[in-house]
Amino acid sequence: DTIATIPRYPKPVGLCVEDPEVRRLRTAPHANLFKVRLANSEARRESASYLIQRRYAWRGYSTDEHAAEAPNRITIAAHDTDGIVGTVTIGLDSPDGLFIDGLYAEEAKRLRADGRRIAEFTKLAVDNNAHSKPLLAALFHIAYICARRIHDCTDLLIEVNPRHTAFYRRML
């Protein structure tokens, strides 16, 4: 049930001559790989919720106690050998609306009125010991594929706290 396996550090590309480092990486244990999976069980949703609570609490942000299963929410999580290291939730628009409607209702309403199919990325959390551009890129890429390609959304929205813009610029 793994969606993708992503190397923690991208492999160097061997050009023209055999690079001994590439050979070593091919045979290295899978300790440096992330596996991206759907959080499609209670245990996986609880692990994702725990990571979110842990990462958000140190900043003083409040979160829901547990991630309830909802038909318009899809949570994906990246795992390494020690457990979950990253998560993001895709919110698909529904009659119940989206979290983004709380602060940006007019903007979302305008997109809907123009016939756009909107989705949001929420509850992004990455373990502080797993700062990896490939990890964050994989989470966003798979979330994009899910929302855009599988669910035909035309616009993907994300709220970014102004204090976090430097993080997103650096990591993406």
Side-chain angles (χ1 to χ4, degrees):
D1 64 341
T2 298
I3 298 170
T5 302
I6 291 75
R8 183 180 300 259
Y9 307 103
K11 289 194 272 184
V13 176
L15 302 173
C16 300
V17 295
E18 180 64 23
D19 182 352
E21 184 68 11
V22 171
R23 190 178 316 117
R24 185 189 65 75
L25 287 171
R26 269 191 239 131
T27 60
H30 296 287
N32 285 330
L33 296 178
F34 296 111
K35 293 184 178 181
V36 180
R37 301 177 173 137
L38 287 173
N40 57 358
S41 70
E42 189 64 31
R44 287 184 183 169
R45 281 189 296 277
E46 285 180 10
S47 292
S49 288
Y50 177 72
L51 177 62
I52 291 164
Q53 289 173 16
R54 192 166 46 89
R55 295 300 297 149
Y56 285 32
W58 76 275
R59 281 286 204 183
Y61 302 140
S62 63
T63 61
D64 295 337
E65 275 293 308
H66 299 286
E69 186 174 6
N72 67 324
R73 302 244 162 242
I74 302 162
T75 299
I76 57 175
H79 301 258
D80 68 6
T81 55
D82 295 328
I84 189 169
V85 292
T87 185
V88 67
T89 296
I90 303 120
L92 303 171
D93 203 10
S94 73
D96 295 333
L98 297 168
F99 293 140
I100 209 157
D101 289 316
L103 291 175
Y104 299 99
E106 287 304 312
E107 291 84 347
K109 183 179 176 182
R110 208 173 16 249
L111 289 168
R112 290 178 183 113
D114 289 342
R116 311 299 292 201
R117 293 180 46 121
I118 62 176
E120 65 184 351
F121 293 168
T122 64
K123 300 187 178 188
L124 171 68
V126 176
D127 188 275
N128 57 333
N129 295 319
H131 288 292
S132 165
K133 285 185 180 184
L135 167 65
L136 195 58
L139 285 171
F140 273 109
H141 188 73
I142 291 169
Y144 166 83
I145 290 169
C146 183
R148 177 79 171 112
R149 300 293 181 202
I150 296 172
H151 292 280
D152 296 322
C153 294
T154 58
D155 294 82
L156 308 174
L157 311 173
I158 183 170
E159 289 181 71
V160 176
N161 183 314
R163 293 189 327 200
H164 300 160
T165 55
F167 168 81
Y168 286 101
R169 284 194 178 115
R170 185 177 70 250
M171 293 300 284
L172 298 175

